[in-house]
Amino acid sequence: MSVFSHPAYDNHEEVAFYHDAKSGLKAIIAVHNTNLGPALGGCRMWPYADDSEALNDVLRLSRGMTYKSAMAGLKLGGGKSVIIGDPRKQKTPELLRAMGDFLNTLGGRYITAEDSGTSVADMKVIAERSKFVSGVISGQEHGGDPSPSTAYGVFVGLQAAVAHRWGRTDLNGLRVSIQGVGNVGFRLGKLLKEAGAELFVTDIFQDNVDRAVSELGATAVGAEEIFDLDVDLFAPCALGAILNDNTIDRLKVGAIAGASNNQLAEARHAQVLKDKGILYAPDYVINAGGIIDVYYQQLGQEQGEYNAEQVKAHIETIGTTMQEVFQRADETGETTAHVADRIAEERFGHKDALNNSDSAAA
């Protein structure tokens, strides 16, 4: 199958493949849209089953970044990169430096940052070869790591979901299941615990589960059991396509609000959730805290100043945006995912939205 006929291809501007035999690097960069600015999105390293799985992931993720930046009000386009390999076994400095060489071939049309399977330390190695790297500014509270900002943004958006679904402003006693307690999921769990929520967690890595149990007082459950729990809210914080025909049918929750990208396996699953009475917080709206932080880090690198309070204030607008999406969905009868898509498309100039710009307000 060619890239142009791929189901996840969405008029991407550029898709580049790179192989460095010496380091073993096999990577793909996808630039979806640069109408609002250069494409910015993380570099994911993952042991994909095959090349087609990696291509599907990078196409879906890069498209999501366009929508995410537009909804967050950032002057950025959408892009993403993936490295095919096990980050716990195959990552080397040579491989990361080769990734920097790959970035340079796009001449600044794509800027990378950390993502699943990569870290701030990895980005600093990549930056030895390329200037098109963000999320490494030393003045940021966490040394450039955007994970805390992503978690905080999800927490803010989750609060908006709880307020809309149950009409309550506190989270005390709320039962939340978290799928994936890595960098973002664990920090989200910490914020939820501090707010009085009861946590149920699962993760593919046992050490992540053990940490959540010991430090957050969470209850550990199996990877499949997480979908069958009778809880209030489900927070997917792992990989995508987790909301599908099988899992949605099993969910017994009132709302879904989590950090993972591309949570819906197919666009139609937004309607399936709506029909089941589950409030869905569109992933690229609620998880934009990290890209907001990285954007300000990029500005800080250029202007010599990083304003943490400005970053926090911008992240907190995620709650207002979520409220707008929920309210508009109620008024129109559309799914929250469709509403979010339309608002984002109006902002970044999607060809279909340009013909209907008077039908919705951003």
Side-chain angles (χ1 to χ4, degrees), residues 50-115:
D50 51 41
D51 298 348
S52 62
E53 186 179 78
L55 176 61
N56 185 67
D57 203 28
V58 77
L59 289 175
R60 283 168 56 87
L61 289 167
S62 56
R63 177 185 182 277
M65 292 307 300
T66 298
Y67 284 70
K68 182 182 301 189
S69 291
M71 286 298 281
L74 304 176
K75 296 178 180 179
L76 292 173
K80 206 78 172 185
S81 58
V82 298
I83 297 174
I84 301 172
D86 188 333
R88 294 196 171 196
K89 299 177 181 178
Q90 296 172 278
K91 188 192 302 178
T92 65
E94 292 73 24
L95 180 143
L96 295 172
R97 294 187 186 104
M99 187 64 193
D101 294 335
F102 184 18
L103 288 176
N104 292 336
T105 66
L106 274 74
R109 292 187 297 280
Y110 168 70
I111 301 167
T112 198
E114 74 149 28
D115 200 276

Side-chain angles (χ1 to χ4, degrees), residues 90-258:
Q90 296 172 278
K91 188 192 302 178
T92 65
E94 292 73 24
L95 180 143
L96 295 172
R97 294 187 186 104
M99 187 64 193
D101 294 335
F102 184 18
L103 288 176
N104 292 336
T105 66
L106 274 74
R109 292 187 297 280
Y110 168 70
I111 301 167
T112 198
E114 74 149 28
D115 200 276
S116 301
T118 62
S119 64
V120 172
D122 296 332
M123 292 303 108
K124 290 181 178 179
V125 176
I126 293 175
E128 293 176 13
R129 292 282 184 84
S130 177
K131 65 180 180 180
F132 306 119
V133 181
S134 191
V136 294
I137 191 167
S138 59
Q140 195 251 22
E141 181 182 0
H142 301 279
D145 181 4
S147 299
S149 291
T150 301
Y152 182 59
V154 172
F155 180 71
V156 170
L158 186 151
Q159 288 178 307
V162 170
H164 188 84
R165 180 66 175 79
W166 291 287
R168 52 185 289 189
T169 57
D170 70 284
L171 304 183
N172 192 45
L174 191 78
R175 291 161 60 86
V176 181
S177 57
I178 305 178
Q179 182 196 44
V181 278
N183 289 336
V184 175
F186 178 81
R187 288 183 169 93
L188 174 62
K190 189 171 186 292
L191 292 169
L192 288 168
K193 175 182 170 56
E194 292 169 352
E198 182 180 358
L199 307 179
F200 301 83
V201 303
T202 192
D203 196 288
I204 61 173
F205 299 115
Q206 188 59 43
D207 53 340
N208 287 344
V209 173
D210 293 342
R211 180 176 64 158
V213 171
S214 64
E215 297 185 27
L216 304 180
T219 299
V221 299
E224 284 299 310
E225 185 185 357
I226 198 80
F227 301 111
D228 302 313
L229 297 179
D230 187 2
V231 295
D232 300 305
L233 187 143
F234 175 45
C237 297
L239 297 182
I242 204 64
L243 300 175
N244 52 56
D245 291 331
N246 173 46
T247 59
I248 293 174
D249 187 55
R250 296 158 60 187
L251 292 174
K252 306 178 185 69
V253 301
I256 296 174

